[in-house]
Amino acid sequence: MPGSSYLYSRCAIKTFKENAKSLLDVLSEDSKETLREIGILQLFNMLTIQQNIPLLYYIIRSYSARRNAFLLGKFYVKFTVNHVALILGLPNRGKEFKFDRIPLSNLKHKELVQELADLTVEDSSPTLESSRINALIRYVLAAFFFPLKGLKVPTCLLEFKGLEDFAAVNWPKVIHTFLYSHFAYMKEIVIGEEMKNLGYLEGCSVILVVNIALWPLRVVEGLPTQDIGIDCGIFVMKYMEASVVEGPVDWKSHQTWGKDMSRIRAELVASFCRIFQSPLLKENGFNF
């Protein structure tokens, strides 16, 4: 098992909370509500992750760049934008933004921390509140989303100067793209069982790979399966229906779904028609 000298990382969650919590305490309730709407406030509620270098090393070695997935046991767990959004609690929407680690600005991580401390004063004004928000956004981007080894802030992150700039970008997609290239690069330098120096896990790597490693994987035996390639959507709906309505499901009693597909489709159409003609929907302005 590799030792800690072969992989380096730091818990971005712990660092973020330690340095930004005092600023959060002096923000107005209106500002906090806005931060909640755009996905920043919930970052303060994330649990601190215990450093586990051997686990991180194992997970990186299990990554397949070709599949964009982690091989955990005998199952591949896909690494998608939706997974990033789910783990970080950020909306998967907005415009694209190309993150470039170079050029680096002259702004250092410790200067961002000092800026947060300087703005933690018992005072309030629209100008001060705006400065606090802008400082917090810069710190989220540079210390939580993309905490690079050099602890300097990439110039491209300084383009974001307010809530509107931040909220307009699909950050799960940006982070996913960044980590995809990072994982693929690190995987390439791991050869067989030989210990290699993987260097420094950058960005949200620690948060994401530990969460992915702990996702439960369970195989349900005896599920009815489709006979042709166009019934997958119907089967998903029937899986959901059986699980919700029946509780513990006896899947053996549902093995005829494939043969009964014409009837099942007709029943679904009839159900949708009844729903669409519901007086309750019409009363609320839904006309079909």
Side-chain angles (χ1 to χ4, degrees):
M1 182 65 70
S4 60
S5 61
Y6 286 86
L7 186 63
Y8 308 90
S9 67
R10 57 193 174 93
C11 183
I13 301 176
K14 181 179 180 181
T15 305
F16 172 77
K17 285 184 176 181
E18 288 177 348
N19 293 318
K21 181 64 170 62
S22 57
L23 184 66
L24 182 66
D25 292 338
V26 298
L27 285 175
S28 69
E29 291 304 317
D30 288 343
S31 293
K32 290 179 183 179
E33 182 59 32
T34 303
L35 292 176
R36 182 179 293 106
E37 290 174 359
I38 66 174
I40 290 181
L41 198 63
Q42 78 275 0
L43 300 179
F44 289 90
N45 297 323
M46 295 191 70
L47 298 177
T48 300
I49 295 174
Q50 185 69 34
Q51 286 279 44
N52 189 330
I53 298 300
L55 175 62
L56 293 175
Y57 189 95
Y58 168 79
I59 297 169
I60 290 298
R61 288 183 60 231
S62 73
Y63 180 70
S64 168
R66 180 175 64 85
R67 293 175 178 263
N68 191 21
F70 294 88
L71 178 61
L72 303 179
K74 58 180 179 180
F75 303 100
Y76 275 104
V77 177
K78 295 292 290 183
F79 173 52
T80 68
V81 175
N82 281 335
H83 291 152
V84 177
L86 179 64
I87 292 172
L88 295 179
L90 296 167
N92 182 11
R93 63 173 183 268
K95 66 181 182 182
E96 295 189 19
F97 165 71
K98 180 67 169 69
F99 171 77
D100 292 308
R101 66 172 65 234
I102 53 175
L104 292 171
S105 69
N106 292 323
L107 186 63
K108 299 180 180 179
H109 178 269
K110 63 180 182 180
E111 294 176 88
L112 289 177
V113 174
Q114 185 59 51
E115 182 181 26
L116 294 177
D118 292 342
L119 292 169
T120 307
V121 294
E122 293 294 334
D123 194 3
S124 62
S125 70
T127 301
L128 181 59
E129 193 77 353
S130 177
S131 297
R132 287 169 175 166
I133 295 294
N134 291 341
L136 183 60
I137 288 174
R138 282 193 293 271
Y139 190 67
V140 166
L141 295 176
F144 195 101
F145 290 176
F146 309 103
L148 305 184
K149 182 179 180 181
L151 297 181
K152 285 188 176 181
V153 182
T155 301
C156 66
L157 297 183
L158 300 182
E159 298 175 9
F160 297 90
K161 301 184 183 298
L163 291 172
E164 290 187 5
D165 285 353
F166 180 90
V169 172
N170 185 334
W171 290 110
K173 188 170 184 179
V174 179
I175 293 170
H176 177 270
T177 301
F178 170 72
L179 292 182
Y180 171 77
S181 61
H182 190 49
F183 292 155
Y185 162 74
M186 298 191 84
K187 174 65 177 181
E188 286 181 1
I189 60 178
V190 180
I191 303 175
E193 297 298 321
E194 183 181 356
M195 291 188 297
K196 294 290 184 180
N197 188 341
L198 292 180
Y200 187 87
L201 277 173
E202 295 182 324
C204 291
S205 303
V206 177
I207 301 168
L208 293 172
V209 297
V210 170
N211 274 280
I212 287 174
L214 299 179
W215 286 355
L217 294 173
R218 185 166 66 92
V219 177
V220 179
E221 301 291 346
L223 283 175
T225 56
Q226 63 198 74
D227 300 317
I228 57 177
I230 62 173
D231 290 339
C232 47
I234 305 296
F235 267 80
V236 170
M237 287 190 284
K238 294 297 288 183
Y239 291 149
M240 296 170 64
E241 179 188 47
S243 300
V244 171
V245 174
E246 299 179 25
V249 184
D250 177 16
W251 293 110
K252 292 181 181 179
S253 65
H254 297 300
Q255 296 299 321
T256 61
W257 283 353
K259 296 179 180 178
D260 298 338
M261 188 52 59
S262 294
R263 176 183 59 79
I264 292 173
R265 288 180 179 274
E267 290 176 347
L268 283 171
V269 171
S271 297
F272 290 150
C273 288
R274 285 195 297 270
I275 293 172
F276 294 155
Q277 295 302 315
S278 167
L280 183 61
L281 288 179
K282 292 182 178 180
E283 288 174 8
N284 287 276
F286 293 93
N287 294 306
F288 301 93

